Amino acid sequence: MESDMTQLRERMVAQQIAGRGITDARVLAAMRAVPREAFVPDALREFAYEDSPLPIEADQTISQPLIVAQMIELAALGPESVVLEVGAGSGYAAAVMGRIAKRVHAIEWHDILARTAAERMAALGYDNVEIVQGDGTLGWPEKAPFDAILVAAGGPAVPDTLRRQLKIGGRLIIPVASDGYQILTLVRRTGPDTFAEENHGAVMFVPLVGEHGWRNGGPKTRTRDPATRSTRRDAMPVRSAATLLHARRKAPAIVTGAALSRLIGDCAETFGGFDELARLVDRYADRRVVLLGEATHGTAEFYRARAWMTERLVALHGFNVVAVEADWPDAAAYDAYVRGRPVPDLTEPPFHRFPRWMWRNGQVRDLLERLRAANANIADPERQAGFYGLDIYSLGTSIDAVLAYLDKVDPRAAHVARERYACLTPWRADPATYGRMALSGRFEGCEEAVAKILMDLLERRLDYLRRDGEAFFGAEQNARIVARAEAYYRAMYYGAAQSWNLRDTHMFDTLAGVLAHRGPDAKAVVWAHNSHIGDAAATDMGRVRGEHNIGQLCRRRYGAAAALIGFGTDRGTVAAASNWDSPMEIMQVRPARSDSWEGHCRGTEIPAFLLDLGIEGRAGRKPELAQPLLQRAIGVVYRPESELMSHYFEAELARQFDAWVWFDETRAVDATPAAHADRPRDTFPFGL
């Protein structure tokens, strides 16, 4: 176990810290030496080296490793430095500084944190670190002056009390409030009464409390929503976090501005309508998998473009699987419609839960009609296109589906399954709470029980297949979903990379399972967000956070037989929510940043185009299109007021995708109640 933690620590330093531009050898060595797992609650040790903050006692956080490294590097510590830390928290940053500086004095507002951190220091042998409880905004005059002061909480301004306790030449690093988030500010004392300030990017910390901090617990600011980080993590809670919102870039740009826009324009294949775009997809007709992305979860043009492209691949090129970023049981209802099969027995309409606008909108209705019409012209039912959900969130409905299947084919097995699934029954309506409680250790988890149900199904596979192969396949997939969902909800709160990887691995495994089920000649079209479709290895997701996605896994499995196609837009409207589980709104999409891929596409002044990034494409082998630049990702949550920190990440476009589809201006999907009002049963599936 210790060797595993050492390996994780080494990878953290290499990828998250050195990989993002931290070069101070002392800082890197110190972070390799300090065991971060010793500074988090026991239940969260497995997440100690995630690229994220983690919760600790007193509703506080241990900062993201990168922000700890950047603040200490800005402090320019040496072997003779005397340091003051305000907001010791768990003591991790103080321990790292203790490996570099001569003496570290730390003040913590919360008594339980101060006592626990001091005990950790004694246990780990950091005898040059002193931690006390008190008001850090007052500093520590008896120990002053300091070579450096680090403040691990965001204040309304730089406290003058701390400025005055710096040595001349000393450095103060503090997050300062600015427009709903904070700016990491470096203050250098240049003389007895003179100071210089530098801005080092957007961050988000817990509020600084004390005489020179915030009153009444601080301002109501929004932290970066995990659901919109690279888009995402749709069911994760929003929480206060000490985190660096934008990593510094290592490599200088090859070419930017007007020159890059001209290059993109020269390589662009323009189209005037969706029919013209659909014809451009013929070049991918020989692929096993064509993955179609989207830059938001609520843009009409993305849905319409993918519908036209999908219809052509199904009708003319033999694609018989349409697999989407949606839940399996809900998608099964749509599958029955597009293949003209009997209406399934449903206790509630498909896709009725948040965010219902993703799959209950006018554009999806158009897709279903197109698929149904295309299937009507395919005589062999085995060659007709099916509609499948890849996602992992349908815990409750998947349990119901497994039990309903077993009730029909094996009542005794159904009885056993009910007893085992009873472990999850209290959490069906709120499985995220199950994950939090399981991690707390307050009750025994359900992992073993749900895994046994899947194993029982697989052991009886041959018998069940003889009765109804299609029905068994659906039940098996639902049992897998329950098992994976149980693990996902245990990890999602604190294991950002772990939960992401579990979800995308499940989506890929489901896709592979569907392809195998549909036969050796099966070919699939996949619909999902760009953050799932684009190769994660060409983004911060893979390079820094150790995340993979379905696009990357498809490239690994299918090689050149997989085509990854991303979508982007500059401005317009989008259907989204301000928070998870909030009502849908039609929001205005801000024009893209000029230093982003979207900004450079806007600079072409071409309303709509396809950029073929493949080796033989017009844009292939262009190093300018493989440089790391910002890219925007809007999920089901959109926060335009904090767009830079909430919705941008770094990506190498030509490595991320095989093609990029651009729409200069877009509009929201038709998802208002009037757009899909309930109708008689013969209008299934939208009118249940």
Side-chain angles (χ1 to χ4, degrees):
M1 179 65 178
E2 182 57 38
S3 62
D4 292 341
M5 287 295 179
T6 300
Q7 292 177 8
L8 291 173
R9 191 156 56 247
E10 288 287 343
R11 187 171 68 182
M12 174 195 75
V13 173
Q15 294 182 351
Q16 299 175 28
I17 299 172
R20 280 165 157 164
I22 301 296
T23 59
D24 188 315
R26 293 190 181 101
V27 175
L28 298 176
M31 298 197 76
R32 288 191 182 97
V34 176
R36 192 172 187 248
E37 69 272 16
F39 294 86
V40 303
D42 288 344
L44 304 183
R45 284 173 61 91
E46 64 180 297
F47 308 124
Y49 295 100
E50 289 271 347
D51 180 39
S52 64
L54 293 172
I56 56 176
E57 298 83 358
D59 292 325
Q60 301 297 294
T61 59
I62 176 175
S63 298
Q64 176 190 20
L66 175 60
I67 188 62
V68 174
Q70 186 182 12
M71 292 179 75
I72 297 175
E73 184 176 62
L74 289 173
L77 303 183
E80 298 302 316
S81 297
V82 177
V83 184
L84 171 66
E85 183 187 25
V86 176
S90 68
Y92 175 67
V96 174
M97 290 187 286
R99 302 284 303 193
I100 303 171
K102 180 178 181 179
R103 192 76 189 167
V104 179
H105 304 282
I107 306 173
E108 171 53 49
W109 176 268
H110 300 278
D111 182 64
I112 186 174
L113 292 179
R115 286 187 285 106
T116 304
E119 291 168 1
R120 287 190 181 111
M121 295 303 161
L124 293 169
Y126 292 102
D127 55 8
N128 65 333
V129 179
E130 180 182 10
I131 300 176
V132 298
Q133 189 277 328
D135 183 352
T137 69
L138 301 176
W140 200 334
E142 297 80 8
K143 304 292 185 180
F146 300 102
D147 296 286
I149 300 175
L150 280 73
V151 183
V158 180
D160 194 57
T161 51
L162 299 182
R163 292 178 191 263
R164 295 295 172 182
Q165 292 181 35
L166 282 174
K167 291 180 181 178
I168 293 177
R171 296 173 168 227
L172 165 63
I173 298 94
I174 178 173
V176 179
S178 175
D179 191 26
Y181 52 101
Q182 299 145 5
I183 295 295
L184 189 62
T185 304
L186 168 62
V187 179
R188 290 184 293 110
R189 188 168 192 173
T190 57
D193 298 301
T194 56
F195 301 87
E197 292 190 6
E198 298 175 6
N199 175 339
H200 285 272
V203 293
M204 184 58 70
F205 278 76
V206 294
L208 176 65
V209 294
E211 185 173 329
H212 299 285
W214 292 103
R215 307 287 180 176
N216 303 319
K220 295 186 184 301
T221 57
R222 284 176 169 172
T223 61
R224 188 167 81 168
D225 184 354
T228 57
R229 179 182 129 192
S230 309
T231 78
R232 2 349 3 217
R233 289 144 176 83
D234 294 335
M236 290 183 67
V238 179
R239 59 181 181 268
S240 295
T243 181
L244 181 62
L245 298 174
H246 288 286
R248 294 175 296 171
R249 290 175 233 173
K250 297 180 295 180
I254 298 173
V255 58
T256 58
L260 182 54
S261 292
R262 283 194 298 272
L263 174 63
I264 294 173
D266 290 343
C267 296
E269 298 177 55
T270 62
F271 57 87
F274 294 109
D275 55 338
E276 293 180 31
L277 172 62
R279 286 194 289 273
L280 294 176
V281 83
D282 286 346
R283 71 194 68 188
Y284 305 114
D286 62 340
R287 306 297 175 96
R288 183 82 190 276
V289 183
V290 175
L291 300 100
L292 304 177
E294 60 184 352
T296 84
H297 278 321
T299 295
E301 282 75 10
F302 299 155
Y303 281 80
R304 293 189 66 196
R306 294 184 298 177
W308 280 76
M309 297 163 82
T310 300
E311 178 191 30
R312 190 171 181 90
L313 290 171
V314 169
L316 300 183
H317 302 299
F319 282 71
N320 61 344
V321 171
V322 180
V324 302
E325 184 187 345
D327 291 331
W328 181 275
D330 291 321
Y334 284 8
D335 179 63
Y337 181 73
V338 301
R339 290 205 266 179
R341 297 185 172 187
V343 177
D345 294 327
L346 297 173
T347 58
E348 53 195 11
F351 302 110
H352 77 288
R353 294 181 303 276
F354 180 92
R356 62 180 290 168
W357 68 86
M358 276 185 63
W359 299 110
R360 288 182 71 83
N361 62 60
Q363 286 69 41
V364 169
R365 183 194 292 120
D366 179 61
L367 166 69
L368 299 182
E369 295 297 345
R370 289 176 177 278
L371 290 178
R372 185 178 174 92
N375 279 338
N377 292 320
I378 300 174
D380 182 1
E382 295 303 314
R383 297 306 307 160
Q384 291 181 344
F387 190 90
Y388 304 91
L390 300 177
D391 224 328
I392 202 169
Y393 293 129
S394 59
L395 181 67
T397 49
S398 287
I399 288 175
D400 288 342
V402 173
L403 295 177
Y405 171 77
L406 290 175
D407 280 338
K408 292 178 180 178
V409 302
D410 196 338
R412 292 180 62 184
H415 176 74
V416 174
R418 276 189 172 83
E419 290 184 344
R420 290 176 178 165
Y421 277 150
C423 177
L424 287 171
T425 299
W427 318 104
R428 288 177 49 138
D430 187 11
T433 301
Y434 162 77
R436 186 169 66 248
M437 295 291 287
L439 275 176
S440 72
R442 296 177 193 173
F443 74 97
E444 186 175 351
C446 304
E447 180 178 8
E448 183 177 352
V450 298
K452 283 181 177 178
I453 297 171
L454 176 60
M455 294 306 298
D456 288 348
L457 274 173
L458 295 178
E459 286 176 2
R460 297 177 174 88
R461 173 192 290 267
L462 292 179
D463 180 37
Y464 291 158
L465 281 173
R466 279 194 295 269
R467 303 185 197 189
D468 186 337
E470 191 73 20
F472 170 74
F473 181 66
E476 178 190 352
Q477 291 305 313
N478 278 302
R480 290 185 188 279
I481 289 166
V482 177
R484 289 277 178 86
E486 187 276 337
Y488 174 83
Y489 285 113
R490 277 189 286 112
M492 74 172 201
Y493 266 86
Y494 312 118
Q498 182 177 334
S499 60
W500 177 275
N501 289 344
L502 194 154
R503 181 185 175 204
D504 270 61
T505 298
H506 170 79
M507 289 200 287
F508 172 75
D509 288 346
T510 302
L511 172 64
V514 171
L515 283 169
H517 176 69
R518 293 303 305 270
D521 297 326
K523 297 195 290 185
V525 182
V526 178
W527 286 32
H529 196 279
N530 285 346
S531 56
H532 296 293
I533 292 300
D535 191 334
T539 73
D540 281 345
M541 295 166 58
R543 290 195 306 261
V544 175
R545 297 197 295 272
E547 296 172 346
H548 58 245
N549 62 9
I550 189 171
Q552 182 180 2
L553 295 173
C554 280
R555 275 187 172 172
R556 190 179 299 168
R557 171 75 64 86
Y558 303 113
L564 283 51
I565 303 175
F567 287 69
T569 187
D570 174 49
R571 62 193 181 275
T573 59
V574 67
S578 296
N579 292 287
W580 180 261
D581 231 5
S582 293
M584 186 199 80
E585 304 173 45
I586 303 301
M587 300 185 181
Q588 200 71 34
V589 178
R590 289 188 171 187
R593 290 177 58 90
S594 60
D595 58 349
S596 67
W597 285 112
E598 291 85 352
H600 293 300
C601 289
R602 177 184 63 224
T604 65
E605 299 184 355
I606 302 173
F609 62 80
L610 180 141
L611 198 63
D612 189 339
L613 299 162
I615 294 175
E616 303 302 327
R618 287 190 194 177
R621 303 181 186 275
K622 302 286 186 184
E624 299 90 342
L625 300 177
Q627 61 184 319
L629 294 177
L630 291 176
Q631 186 180 113
R632 182 166 60 191
I634 299 172
V636 296
V637 173
Y638 182 41
R639 293 179 175 165
E641 73 280 7
S642 61
E643 192 180 64
L644 173 60
M645 61 182 180
S646 301
H647 299 286
Y648 279 95
F649 65 105
E650 203 168 73
E652 301 167 4
L653 193 70
R655 296 190 178 100
Q656 182 186 16
F657 297 113
D658 296 298
W660 173 257
V661 178
W662 174 253
F663 296 96
D664 200 42
E665 186 168 2
T666 53
R667 61 182 177 84
V669 292
D670 301 327
T672 60
H676 53 80
D678 287 347
R679 297 179 182 180
R681 191 170 178 81
D682 62 0
T683 63
F684 173 84
F686 273 86
L688 291 173

